[in-house]
């Protein structure tokens, strides 16, 4: 199916428009539909389709709540209040980062809780995100009602950039992380720096929402979207999926994509009829509201299903995972005693003012990512059958090769250990300083302060924090071992000369990654 125009770009010259430039409901949009074809659908989607009985919107109360247009607004509103408070308190409140509510809530609690949401629910944060939520309210010119006219240019994101998928927002994440390190924002340092960072994300989101259609920012630019999408694929929420794929295939209107009287077209450009993972479902519920056939539900799934089950894997996801792995290893490596000498030497040679040197930062991240890819290349060279041929031409998302046939599924299998490493990296701040959030709230009303027992209290000490970090990494490693074993048996064994050899190599990759992550936490003594 192809859409000929955006449903919210209305002009009087378009079909169905009135003399005032407004369209009557439902939105009049020309559609180019291919003939319904379900060939191969069972083989492709059966492994990743959740059990039919795991649709929680079959419960009338849950369905009524999700269908209510105020539902997402009420999810976003509390976070909206908190983050505008973060901005203003960071600029106008105390300079003590431990007593400033903006820095305390952001760096001691929020980032850690977002990881818990990812692992349990997937893209739950996207459903309640204050950054995209604020920009979307302005774009739609309403808090929750279904309107016909959007504010902004409504342009489509350039296709050549869109084809890089998850790799593009990884670049944004790397830039944001470097800025955090350079200005010591997440130290936390000056609370005003946290405020400007949050305000910068809100402002960037607003610009993209006003220039491009739908949630282009959330899908292609947001610094957190790749991390949330990949790590969130471990979660137990499959997202909004079709109940009967034949109904979706034969649907003449595709209201879930173009929008209808009761809902907008999917802001994430995701068709429920072809979803096979939770990677790109932002849980906004618009498809559920829009579907005239009541053929969309919100499904649960077994943990790791969206990691193991998809039969069509994406190279952008694989490279994004490799780069995210490189970044978290860099964050551990830069806490070692020897890294400071490397950074200082490069700063002296390149004339850069101070840590982190961008050459070391990007160089080490790319090196770790390249080493991971090189291992996959070595496995493919050692075990791939020579009679399997690939067309190596084509664009980034389309080209195939023997290397990709191994690298992409192996990278998916590393998602749990990479996610566990990121989560473990947040634990020192949480365990050492999370209690400061309470004195920081009290400080807003003139109470509390640095003399409060909670200001200096710690939930765990360093030796115990290391133990928890090792447990977290171990659990992630076990999950990766299970995932990569399942993926290898299904996808790599059939194209390998030695089933035993490729199994051992794949499992060894996950195990070595887990050992490296755990060893670094012991080496840096739980540095925060």
């Amino acid at each position: 199916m192809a859409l000929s125009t955006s449903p919210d770009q209305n002009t009087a010259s378009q079909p169905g428009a009135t003399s005032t430039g407004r369209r009557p409901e439902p939105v009049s949009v020309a559609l180019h539909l291919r003939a319904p074809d379900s060939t191969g659908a069972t083989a492709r989607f059966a492994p990743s389709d959740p059990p039919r009985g795991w649709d929680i919107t079959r419960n009338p109360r849950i369905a009524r709540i999700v269908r209510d247009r105020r539902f997402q607004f009420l999810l976003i509103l509390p976070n909206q209040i908190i983050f505008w408070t973060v901005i203003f308190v960071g600029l106008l409140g105390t300079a003590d980062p431990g007593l400033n509510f903006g820095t305390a809530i952001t760096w001691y609690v929020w980032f850690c809780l977002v990881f818990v949401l990812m692992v349990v629910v997937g893209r739950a944060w996207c459903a309640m995100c204050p950054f995209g939520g604020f920009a979307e309210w302005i774009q739609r010119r309403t808090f929750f009602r279904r309107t016909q006219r959007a504010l902004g240019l409504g342009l489509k994101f350039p296709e050549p950039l869109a084809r890089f998928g998850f790799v593009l927002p990884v670049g944004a994440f790397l830039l944001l992380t470097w800025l955090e390190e350079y200005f010591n924002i997440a130290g936390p340092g000056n609370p005003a720096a946290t405020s400007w960072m949050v305000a910068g994300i809100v402002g960037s989101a607003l610009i993209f929402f006003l220039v491009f259609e739908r949630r282009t920012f959330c899908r292609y630019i947001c610094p957190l979207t790749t991390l949330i999408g990949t790590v969130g694929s471990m979660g137990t929420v499959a997202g909004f999926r079709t109940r009967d794929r034949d109904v979706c295939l034969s649907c003449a209107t595709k209201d879930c994509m173009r929008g209808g009287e009761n809902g907008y077209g999917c802001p994430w450009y995701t068709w429920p009829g072809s979803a096979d993972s939770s990677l790109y479902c932002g849980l906004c519920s618009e498809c559920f509201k829009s579907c005239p056939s009541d053929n969309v539900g919100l499904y649960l799934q077994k943990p790791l299903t969206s990691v193991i089950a998809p039969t069509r894997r994406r190279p952008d996801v694989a490279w994004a995972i490799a780069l995210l792995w490189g970044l978290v290893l860099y964050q551990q490596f830069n806490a070692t005693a020897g890294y400071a000498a490397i950074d200082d030497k490069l700063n002296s040679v390149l004339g850069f003012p101070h840590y982190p040197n961008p050459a070391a930062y990007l160089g080490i991240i790319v090196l770790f990512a390249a080493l991971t890819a090189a291992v996959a290349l070595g496995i493919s060279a050692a075990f791939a059958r020579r009679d399997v041929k690939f067309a190596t031409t084509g664009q980034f998302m389309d080209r195939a090769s023997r290397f990709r046939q191994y690298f992409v599924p192996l990278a998916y299998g590393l998602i749990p250990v990479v996610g566990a490493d990121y989560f473990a990296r947040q634990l020192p701040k949480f365990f050492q300083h999370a209690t400061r959030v309470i004195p920081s709230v009290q400080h807003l009303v003139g109470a509390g302060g640095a003399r409060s027992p909670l200001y200096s209290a710690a939930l765990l000490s360093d030796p115990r924090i290391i133990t928890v970090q090792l447990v977290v990494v171990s659990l992630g490693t076990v999950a990766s071992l299970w995932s990569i074993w399942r993926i290898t048996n299904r996808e790599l064994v059939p194209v390998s000369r030695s089933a035993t050899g490729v199994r051992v190599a794949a499992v060894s990759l996950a195990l070595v990654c887990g050992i490296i992550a755990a060893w670094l936490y012991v080496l840096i003594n739980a540095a925060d």
Side-chain angles (χ1 to χ4, degrees):
M1 182 198 72
L3 300 180
S4 64
T5 184
S6 169
D8 290 322
Q9 292 175 315
N10 303 319
T11 63
S13 61
Q14 289 175 322
T18 66
S19 60
T20 62
R22 293 179 178 272
R23 285 194 181 139
E25 296 281 7
V27 183
S28 178
V29 175
L31 294 170
H32 301 293
L33 300 176
R34 294 191 295 266
D37 183 6
S38 58
T39 304
T42 301
R44 176 183 175 185
F45 295 107
S48 58
D49 277 345
R52 296 298 91 186
W54 290 24
D55 176 6
I56 64 174
T57 49
R58 287 297 189 187
N59 182 298
R61 291 188 179 89
I62 296 177
R64 187 163 53 250
I65 292 171
V66 176
R67 189 167 281 114
D68 193 322
R69 292 217 59 85
R70 295 168 293 184
F71 172 62
Q72 192 176 26
F73 168 76
L74 293 175
L75 281 179
I76 295 172
L77 183 61
N79 286 317
Q80 198 70 242
I81 294 171
I82 290 172
F83 274 88
W84 281 107
T85 303
V86 166
I87 291 174
F88 287 113
V89 171
L91 293 173
L92 305 175
T94 177
D96 182 345
L99 273 183
N100 190 288
F101 175 76
T103 49
I105 192 70
T106 302
W107 303 117
Y108 299 150
V109 176
W110 170 74
F111 215 63
C112 203
L113 291 181
V114 168
F115 272 95
V116 175
L117 279 177
M118 290 182 210
V119 174
V120 177
V121 186
R123 281 194 178 270
W125 174 252
C126 298
M128 59 182 72
C129 174
F131 313 129
F134 175 75
E136 190 171 63
W137 293 346
I138 294 177
Q139 181 196 60
R140 292 177 175 177
R141 306 198 301 184
T142 180
F143 289 120
F144 53 82
R145 296 186 184 280
R146 171 68 171 104
T147 60
Q148 286 293 90
R149 292 174 63 87
L151 181 66
L153 301 178
L155 301 179
K156 295 185 181 299
F157 195 63
E159 179 66 20
L161 293 178
R163 296 189 71 83
F164 285 98
F166 268 173
V167 175
L168 199 60
V170 166
F173 187 50
L174 294 180
L175 175 60
L176 181 64
T177 303
W178 184 83
L179 291 172
E180 287 175 3
E181 298 276 2
Y182 184 79
F183 293 103
N184 191 32
I185 299 173
N190 187 345
T194 295
S195 297
W196 288 119
M197 184 199 73
V198 174
I201 296 174
V202 173
S204 300
L206 181 58
I207 291 171
F208 272 87
F209 270 76
L210 292 178
V211 173
F212 298 102
E213 63 179 355
R214 308 196 188 195
R215 281 186 173 249
T216 292
F217 173 82
C218 301
R219 173 148 183 168
Y220 296 114
I221 302 297
C222 174
L224 292 178
T225 194
T226 300
L227 188 64
I228 293 176
T230 54
V231 177
S233 64
M234 300 165 56
T236 57
V237 175
F240 287 93
R241 304 282 187 90
T242 181
R243 290 169 174 162
D244 185 336
R245 192 159 283 108
D246 289 337
V247 173
C248 279
L249 287 171
S250 61
C251 177
T253 60
K254 299 294 189 293
D255 286 2
C256 59
M257 292 298 291
R258 72 191 261 277
E261 183 175 357
N262 298 315
Y264 293 90
C266 176
W268 290 78
Y269 314 98
T270 299
W271 184 39
S274 63
D276 61 356
S277 76
S278 60
L279 279 172
Y280 272 130
C281 180
L283 301 178
C284 68
S285 73
E286 291 297 343
C287 58
F288 181 77
K289 295 178 174 68
S290 299
C291 181
S293 304
D294 193 26
N295 193 45
V296 175
L298 178 57
Y299 285 89
L300 303 180
Q301 64 184 3
K302 295 178 181 179
L304 300 175
T305 297
S306 287
V307 174
I308 297 170
T311 58
R312 296 189 181 180
R313 303 193 184 276
R314 301 168 55 107
D316 63 312
V317 174
W319 281 111
I321 294 164
L323 289 168
L324 289 174
W325 174 235
L327 173 58
V328 72
L329 288 182
Y330 166 82
Q331 290 179 325
Q332 294 173 273
F333 180 60
N334 73 2
T336 62
Y339 178 79
I342 297 174
D343 196 75
D344 290 343
K345 180 64 175 178
L346 279 173
N347 287 338
S348 175
V349 171
L350 300 177
F352 200 74
H354 62 80
Y355 164 87
N357 185 278
Y361 175 77
L362 286 177
I364 292 173
I365 291 171
V366 171
L367 175 63
F368 284 138
L371 286 175
T372 305
V375 172
L377 178 63
I379 294 173
S380 69
F383 300 107
R385 285 167 41 193
R386 301 305 176 190
D387 59 326
V388 180
K389 304 299 181 181
F390 298 94
T392 57
T393 58
Q395 298 185 19
F396 173 72
M397 292 290 283
D398 304 322
R399 72 173 70 102
S401 66
R402 184 173 289 106
F403 161 68
R404 278 198 177 192
Q405 185 170 30
Y406 281 75
F407 171 62
V408 174
L410 289 173
Y412 270 77
L414 295 180
I415 288 175
V417 71
V418 173
D421 202 0
Y422 271 93
F423 182 46
R425 193 75 183 94
Q426 315 308 315
L427 293 178
K429 283 191 176 74
F430 176 79
F431 285 127
Q432 292 173 352
H433 306 304
T435 55
R436 291 184 176 182
V437 172
I438 296 175
S440 73
V441 173
Q442 294 173 327
H443 190 72
L444 293 175
V445 294
R451 289 177 293 182
S452 169
L454 291 174
Y455 183 84
S456 54
L459 298 175
L460 287 179
S461 59
D462 281 356
R464 293 180 179 176
I465 293 173
I466 297 173
T467 300
V468 175
Q469 287 177 314
L470 294 180
V471 169
V472 168
V473 172
S474 297
L475 290 173
T477 303
V478 170
S480 268
L481 289 171
W482 170 249
S483 300
I484 217 163
W485 176 265
R486 293 283 304 276
I487 290 169
T488 298
N489 281 329
R490 190 183 70 193
E491 300 174 38
L492 299 185
V493 166
V495 295
S496 297
R497 291 173 291 172
S498 169
T500 301
V502 76
R503 288 182 183 126
V504 171
V507 168
S508 298
L509 172 61
L511 184 60
V512 168
C513 287
I515 291 173
I516 290 172
W519 172 69
L520 283 171
Y521 282 120
V522 174
L523 188 65
I524 65 179
N525 196 31
D528 59 2

